[in-house]
């Protein structure tokens, strides 16, 4: 029994049309076949299925028990195929599917949540799969094919150049200094970096790489004394205890706990660039997400998916 031919898509569509319409002639009209072609193809199906699938009546046909059973399977397969076609159209159109979005920690404080919240309201059938990581690691994951969009920053040590990836600038993000609430400079309108030369700076630079903080301090005429603290909760705890200061991106300023002072720096103040990154052949939905990120960053309205 050659079941592969029985379950060919054209054969299932023919079987469905005949069963629904109850007539070879009506099915032929629906599928743009001749009546004799339908009759021959149904006869061929019956030989492959091992017995009659339709009972021939004086006017039309009706499924036999075997035909009824096969028709049920045919409808299930055709419905799945129709849903698959809809899903594929949605993926290509940008309004269905899944988008894997990676972002660094402070982008997840406000920028990314604002963009994803707006995106989800407009495109509820696109599943967003967020991931967090350092910018360099996110770019590696994108090159490996495990991310569809990445939000990255050139802080603290810049980003590797990759001509195959598409970088879309989202914001030039001022870096502010977080101080203990009782620090002598906590009430200052703007802090001169040179006045912080004796402070311990809390940061976690990549091994062997020079940071924006080091470069800014060098321009101010000193080398910063640093203490390696990576997590923001740890940094804020150390600052509250009077054990150091740190740089905080302005897009994450609202996450600084009460009791700490957050002040802008005068020249030469460090500033970072936050970008969205797309792979060489991005999903339409991923490009739409970048539009929402640009809107959340105040750059432009999002591009709508077709």
């Amino acid at each position: 029994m050659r079941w592969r031919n029985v379950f060919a898509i054209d054969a299932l569509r023919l079987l469905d049309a005949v069963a629904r319409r109850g007539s070879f002639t009506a099915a032929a009209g629906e599928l743009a076949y001749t009546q004799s072609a339908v009759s021959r193809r149904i006869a061929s199906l019956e030989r492959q299925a091992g017995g009659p699938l339709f009972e021939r009546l004086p006017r039309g046909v009706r499924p036999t028990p075997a035909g009824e059973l096969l028709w049920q399977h045919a409808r299930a397969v055709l419905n799945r195929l129709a849903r698959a076609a809809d899903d594929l159209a949605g993926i290509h159109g940008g309004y269905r599917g899944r988008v894997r979005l990676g972002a660094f920690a402070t982008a997840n404080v406000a920028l990314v949540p604002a963009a994803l919240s707006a995106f989800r309201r407009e495109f509820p059938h696109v599943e967003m799969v967020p991931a967090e990581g350092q910018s360099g690691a996110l770019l590696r994951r994108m090159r490996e094919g495990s991310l569809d969009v990445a939000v990255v920053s050139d802080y603290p040590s810049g980003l590797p150049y990759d001509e195959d990836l598409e970088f879309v600038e989202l914001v030039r993000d001022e870096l502010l200094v977080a101080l203990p609430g009782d620090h002598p400079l906590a009430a200052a309108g703007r802090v001169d970096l040179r006045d912080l030369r004796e402070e311990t700076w809390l940061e976690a630079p990549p091994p062997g790489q020079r940071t924006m903080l080091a470069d800014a301090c060098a321009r101010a005429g000193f080398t910063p004394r640093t203490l390696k603290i990576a997590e923001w909760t740890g940094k804020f705890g150390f600052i509250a205890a009077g054990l150091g200061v740190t740089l905080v991106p302005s897009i994450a300023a609202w996450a600084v706990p009460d009791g700490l002072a957050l002040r802008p720096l005068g020249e030469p103040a460090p500033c970072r660039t936050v970008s969205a990154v797309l792979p060489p052949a991005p999903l339409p939905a991923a490009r739409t997400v970048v539009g929402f990120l640009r809107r959340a960053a105040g750059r432009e309205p999002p591009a709508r998916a077709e």
Side-chain angles (χ1 to χ4, degrees):
M1 199 177 297
R2 292 174 291 177
W3 290 107
R4 181 176 301 176
N5 292 332
V6 173
F7 288 104
I9 301 305
D10 288 345
L12 296 180
R13 290 197 175 104
L14 178 62
L15 177 74
D16 175 61
V18 173
R20 282 188 292 103
R21 304 300 293 270
S23 163
F24 288 173
T25 302
E30 179 178 317
L31 299 176
Y33 292 157
T34 65
Q35 190 275 341
S36 59
V38 171
S39 182
R40 288 195 304 271
R41 296 184 73 172
I42 290 295
S44 175
L45 272 179
E46 290 176 324
R47 288 193 298 272
Q48 295 161 19
L53 299 174
F54 291 96
E55 181 182 354
R56 276 67 171 174
L57 304 173
R59 299 185 64 178
V61 297
R62 67 184 174 200
T64 65
E68 186 73 37
L69 177 64
L70 189 57
W71 184 29
Q72 291 177 11
H73 288 291
R75 283 181 296 182
V77 171
L78 294 174
N79 287 335
R80 290 291 295 271
L81 287 172
R83 288 198 297 272
D86 288 343
D87 288 345
L88 285 173
I91 289 172
H92 293 313
Y95 55 87
R96 282 187 181 274
R98 181 180 69 169
V99 175
R100 302 162 298 177
L101 169 64
F104 60 92
T106 52
N108 283 332
V109 172
L111 174 63
V112 170
L116 294 192
S117 178
F119 180 88
R120 186 171 62 179
R121 287 194 297 270
E122 191 159 344
F123 299 99
H125 298 297
V126 177
E127 178 190 3
M128 298 302 305
V129 182
E132 185 173 290
Q134 295 183 346
S135 294
L138 295 174
L139 291 180
R140 287 194 296 273
R141 289 186 60 184
M142 176 162 285
R143 296 185 198 102
E144 294 165 358
S146 63
L147 288 179
D148 302 305
V149 187
V151 179
V152 300
S153 164
D154 59 358
Y155 178 82
S157 302
L159 290 171
Y161 174 72
D162 192 325
E163 63 181 8
D164 293 329
L165 302 180
E166 178 183 350
F167 285 76
V168 180
E169 184 174 314
L170 298 176
V171 65
R172 293 279 291 171
D173 192 20
E174 181 184 3
L175 295 170
L176 311 173
V177 61
L179 307 165
D182 58 357
H183 193 281
L185 297 174
R190 185 172 293 271
V191 175
D192 190 315
L193 193 58
R194 288 178 287 268
D195 292 334
L196 300 170
R197 65 174 63 244
E198 300 301 324
E199 298 291 342
T200 296
W201 290 85
L202 309 172
E203 68 168 358
Q209 296 188 31
R210 192 168 178 82
T211 66
M212 287 184 180
L213 172 65
D215 289 340
C217 292
R219 292 192 297 270
F222 70 96
T223 299
R225 180 173 65 250
T226 62
L227 180 62
K228 186 174 181 179
I229 302 292
E231 296 296 329
W232 286 103
T233 51
K235 290 179 180 180
F236 295 149
F238 269 64
I239 296 169
L243 299 176
V245 301
T246 196
L247 295 176
V248 176
S250 60
I251 63 171
W254 70 271
V256 175
D258 293 339
L260 302 188
L262 197 62
R263 295 291 177 263
L265 290 164
E267 293 298 332
C271 185
R272 72 175 180 179
T273 300
V274 177
S275 302
V277 187
L278 291 165
L283 294 171
R287 190 171 290 283
T288 302
V289 168
V290 172
F292 278 82
L293 287 165
R294 287 177 65 84
R295 183 172 69 174
R299 300 301 293 262
E300 65 177 28
R304 294 179 61 90
E306 296 297 330

